């Protein structure tokens, strides 16, 4: 069984009421858009290579790039 390395994530920007619990993504997804469901749509975030140290742990910073609505 192959282990997938998880990377801690910080979300930057986006709606002020977006819940930001502790998040992590597989390391292979750092180059992809992170879609977070929020209300009737998805908030989109991308990682541009920035990292921050939080509580002694390195976390990838994903910046908000826009929103899409869920198709009905």
């Amino acid at each position: 069984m192959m282990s997938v390395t998880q990377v801690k994530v910080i979300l930057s920007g986006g709606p002020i009421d977006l819940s930001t619990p502790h998040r992590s993504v597989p390391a292979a997804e750092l180059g992809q858009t992170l879609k977070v469901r929020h209300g009737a749509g998805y908030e989109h975030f991308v990682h541009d290579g920035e990292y921050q140290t939080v509580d002694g742990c390195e976390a990838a910073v994903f910046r908000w790039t826009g929103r899409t609505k869920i198709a009905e």
Side-chain angles (χ1 to χ4, degrees):
M1 180 182 236
M2 185 185 292
S3 173
V4 176
T5 301
Q6 295 285 313
V7 176
K8 290 185 181 197
V9 171
I10 297 171
L11 300 181
S12 177
I16 198 152
D17 63 338
L18 179 65
S19 172
T20 56
H22 298 283
R23 297 181 187 274
S24 61
V25 297
E29 292 183 14
L30 285 177
Q32 299 177 20
T33 299
L34 177 64
K35 292 183 359 179
V36 178
R37 187 165 183 173
H38 179 68
Y42 291 95
E43 304 302 329
H44 296 254
F45 296 84
V46 295
H47 179 246
D48 63 4
E50 181 184 352
Y51 289 87
Q52 289 182 4
T53 301
V54 178
D55 297 329
C57 295
E58 190 172 68
V61 177
F62 277 72
R63 298 209 178 274
W64 184 78
T65 58
R67 172 176 176 66
T68 55
K69 293 184 177 183
I70 297 173
E72 292 182 25

